[in-house]
Amino acid sequence: MKGRRLTSLVWILIFTIIQVSAAKKSYIVYLGSHQHGSDATPEDYQRAKNSHYKFLESYVGSEGKARDAIIYSYTKKINGFAATLEEKDAEDIAKHPAVVSVFPETIYKLQTTRSWSFLDMDVPENRGSIPTQANIGRNVIIATLDTGVWPESKSFSDEGMGPIPSKWRGFCDNSTKFGVPCNNKLIGAQFFNKGLLASNLEEDDVNSARDTEGHGTHTLSTAAGAFVPGATSFGYANGTARGGAPGAHVAAYKVCQSRGCSGVDILAGFDTALHDNVDIISVSLSAGPAYFGGTNFLDNEIALGSLHAAAMGITVVCSAGNDGPDTMTVGNVAPWVITVGASTIDRDFPSYVKLGNEKLIKGASQAMTSLPQNQMYTVINGSDAAAPGVYTYLAASCNTSSLDPEKVKGKIVVCIDNMEMPRIMMGMTVKDAGGAGMILINNAYWGDSTVSDPHVLPATMISYRDGATLYSYMKSTKNPLANISPKTTKIGVQAPSMAYFSSRGPSYPTPEILKPDVTAPGVDILAAFTEFISPTGIVEDERRTPFYLLSGTSMSCPHVSGLVAQLKSVHPDWSFSAIKSALMTTATIKDNRYIPMRDHSGAEATPLAYGNGHIRPNRAAHPGLVYDNTIENYLSFLCTLGYTSANLSGLINKAFVCPSEPMKLENLNYPSIAVRALNKSTVVTRTLKNVGPPGTYKVRVKAPSGVAVSVRPPSLSFSKVGDERSFTVALTSQIKNENESGFKFGRLVWTNEIHQVSSSIAVNVVA
């Protein structure tokens, strides 16, 4: 219908890259780190900016042209600038010996209560649990790079909050009409949109850190929202909403607008957040499959910004992407970030279709209205109800104005999800044509998954397989009848299982590093939402809600960010790599029925979907042993990929020399084990550090099918905290038949009387 506008950031959670075609493009020129330290002055920042003007002047002809071309000067922690350049100028600049990398920007898309109970985090009296030890993230600062924040949300109340940490250097931009006020909870809010504007993309957002989309408010409150009793999304999921670290302070860096997220703006957000002294940066964005948006890490804005964070000891948590269920779709694969997949929780919103033959088909819905249950309704295919002059394939998916009111009035209309027409809009089409309800059938690609949506009429979504059952019934009778059951919330269903949309490994540029790292709750997550728009994003939809249920790896990412805040409160002396290891090695690969986690199809899930497993917060506080890494380890990793000592020394502002013998990528001290291509045999090395009581650990291995595994030594003894012991893992292929080649999976566990330190094994066997 005319005037209807779907806000893309709420509905399109699957990443797409937008190619900006013009004679000039926005490029990032990366020069390393600045020489000035944490006590830098405004004069130091101006000096850095002037040096960027001077540098570019020699390529574009004058200082005036250089000033006009530069979009951002990154002057705080990251040394470089973003500028609108001719391709030839960019190529010439890349040859300068002081330049580490030059790359065109990428336009990113976002990857969009009960979940914390599901993670056993709602029992503060549990002895040894994180809440009793960490006071739930107090004195930690969590930042998000997202769509901003809705400051009026109760999730950002500062009641009971302690003072703002003295190290904080940021602020809330409250200087505009739509400004954002600070308090002791929400201590920072800034916006960055110069890059998006320079890309000549249409922009209709406000110049403010205020969230007009809802995504940023949702992710920030998931990570660290305050306790809010009585939270609900249109009557569903009633309960107390909370974030993972309610005691933490939060800061919102708005780098995404209604049209997307510019990589130029994202890097500016990183630079500012690092300057402001945040502890954790949560990034619910993805460059999609890692073969998009840069494959060498220093030509990708998120990988680059997060590497600077790693050099400062700051943890960066990223979404894996929503491009599943295909393999090799995972994004944000840098080994120095925590990459998070999405899985279900033990809450469901079932809505059943009752057929005229008494058969029940389970669906999913968050519809606000229901049909009378004392009567049955005629069922009609959308394709059989096409309006005059409308193609039947459009009516089959209930596209806008595609249905004939005379054919659908008072009936339940069957529509097919074509992955193009928003599901809410399909329901609006049926309602506008006078339909009584809608049965939405999933498509063959997404298969047996279903999505619960806040439909505007009685409606439910059923799986592709159940759609065949429905069609069979409709063909068996001249007058097919049905009804749709009222809304309900069910607790205690089998979970977790992997979400169909969650991006899968292996990592495209470096399959030697298993990605994603872990999985966390990411389906139907209740959290705060903006009240600027309806969560449907449709102009005529006047509904507003302070809390809303969203799904995506955007939702699983802040779960891990909140958990990182908890761990930093418990263990302020741990490195970001130690925290990452604790999360990974205590993760589980079983569900709440104590059987192996399932994939969305019902088959057993693999480490390509869940990484090292599903997070277990309370166990992560006491991992026993960790696989630790220093920034130098990651730089050695980059050396193997072709970067020079000179390139990398500039990043950490001290001398660094690449190893004379390049690191074997599989030997990065990672908490999981992955082998790119196993033909005969290979040996990988790992080192464990003790962070618990003294003790002896023995190894237990579940070998991948067709692969022999030998660990030496088979036991490791630790006498004190900080002790380190190394071991080797020899993997030998026993597969001779080419038809049996491919990825094989196993598990390696170091165990004593108290702890289990677990690592997934993923081996690509080539005959």
Side-chain angles (χ1 to χ4, degrees), residues 492-554:
V493 300
Q494 187 171 354
S497 63
M498 292 306 303
Y500 65 94
F501 55 77
S502 187
S503 292
R504 270 66 167 176
S507 162
Y508 173 75
T510 50
E512 299 87 350
I513 305 298
L514 180 61
K515 291 286 183 171
D517 293 310
V518 291
T519 187
V523 177
D524 289 332
I525 303 303
L526 181 69
F529 200 76
T530 182
E531 295 187 56
F532 186 85
I533 59 167
S534 164
T536 66
I538 299 170
V539 172
E540 285 96 340
D541 190 350
E542 297 181 354
R543 295 178 297 177
R544 299 292 187 271
T545 179
F547 292 88
Y548 188 53
L549 290 156
L550 283 177
S551 299
T553 54
S554 282

Side-chain angles (χ1 to χ4, degrees), residues 289-310:
Y291 40 82
F292 292 127
T295 58
N296 294 317
F297 299 112
L298 299 192
D299 59 357
N300 172 279
E301 296 90 346
I302 292 177
L304 183 57
S306 60
L307 182 59
H308 278 265

Side-chain angles (χ1 to χ4, degrees), residues 263-276:
V264 165
D265 297 328
I266 290 169
L267 199 58
F270 265 111
D271 193 34
T272 304
L274 298 180
H275 163 268
D276 292 345

Side-chain angles (χ1 to χ4, degrees), residues 163 173 414 501:
D173 187 351
V414 178
F501 55 77

Side-chain angles (χ1 to χ4, degrees), residues 296-361:
N296 294 317
F297 299 112
L298 299 192
D299 59 357
N300 172 279
E301 296 90 346
I302 292 177
L304 183 57
S306 60
L307 182 59
H308 278 265
M312 297 174 62
I314 295 169
T315 300
V316 177
V317 186
C318 296
S319 56
N322 292 351
D323 294 300
D326 292 341
T327 58
M328 204 177 286
T329 53
V330 64
N332 293 320
V333 296
W336 48 85
V337 305
I338 303 175
T339 309
V340 188
S343 41
T344 63
I345 63 173
D346 64 341
R347 180 180 61 201
D348 202 0
F349 304 102
S351 175
Y352 291 87
V353 177
K354 181 181 180 180
L355 302 179
N357 60 5
E358 300 298 319
K359 184 175 181 61
L360 291 178
I361 298 176

Side-chain angles (χ1 to χ4, degrees), residues 439-459:
I439 299 172
L440 181 60
I441 300 176
N442 208 349
N443 54 73
Y445 182 77
W446 295 125
D448 292 335
S449 60
T450 56
V451 181
S452 58
D453 292 308
H455 294 289
V456 296
L457 81 170

